[in-house]
Amino acid sequence: MKYITLVCAAGMSTSMLMVKMQTSAKKQGIEAKIIAMSEAKFEEYEEPTDVLLLGPQIAYLEEDLKAQYEPKGIKVAVINMMDYGTMNGEKVLQDALALLD
């Protein structure tokens, strides 16, 4: 099981992308738990996370979050702005899984 968490400023736009990623994972037979929330809520989140994907609007937090979470084994990356804007769940899922290889 892969655990992918999407975060953005409020958690709204990533929720739409999350649904598309879940659909893509299901179609491909990939076992993944994909959730979305605000960046502030993630600080209190205690469930497992393998990959933390940031919405482009909070890309400025990438270095701080990498420093905080990568030592704990969590991969951190910013979602490609074009894929985010077009809600390309399949591509964002591929990018997230590539971080784990």
Side-chain angles (χ1 to χ4, degrees):
M1 178 71 79
K2 310 287 188 220
Y3 297 93
I4 302 168
T5 304
L6 310 176
V7 297
C8 65
M12 302 299 275
S13 52
T14 51
S15 292
M16 294 185 296
L17 183 58
M18 171 194 73
V19 171
K20 294 190 179 256
M21 290 174 70
Q22 289 169 335
T23 301
S24 179
K26 195 174 206 176
K27 275 188 206 169
Q28 297 177 58
I30 296 168
E31 287 190 41
K33 180 176 181 187
I34 305 165
I35 60 162
M37 65 186 66
S38 68
E39 184 271 325
K41 189 170 181 182
F42 183 73
E43 292 175 18
E44 302 163 8
Y45 184 67
E46 295 186 10
E47 296 296 315
T49 297
D50 297 315
V51 178
L52 177 61
L53 296 178
L54 313 179
Q57 70 272 43
I58 60 167
Y60 66 93
L61 295 173
E62 182 180 19
E63 292 309 313
D64 289 343
L65 294 175
K66 277 186 174 187
Q68 187 174 355
Y69 294 111
E70 287 196 342
K72 298 176 183 178
I74 299 172
K75 301 290 185 184
V76 178
V78 175
I79 299 167
N80 176 283
M81 191 177 297
M82 183 66 81
D83 296 333
Y84 192 82
T86 58
M87 292 283 145
N88 188 342
E90 185 172 340
K91 176 70 168 56
V92 176
L93 177 63
Q94 289 173 357
D95 292 347
L97 296 174
L99 291 170
L100 296 173
D101 290 340

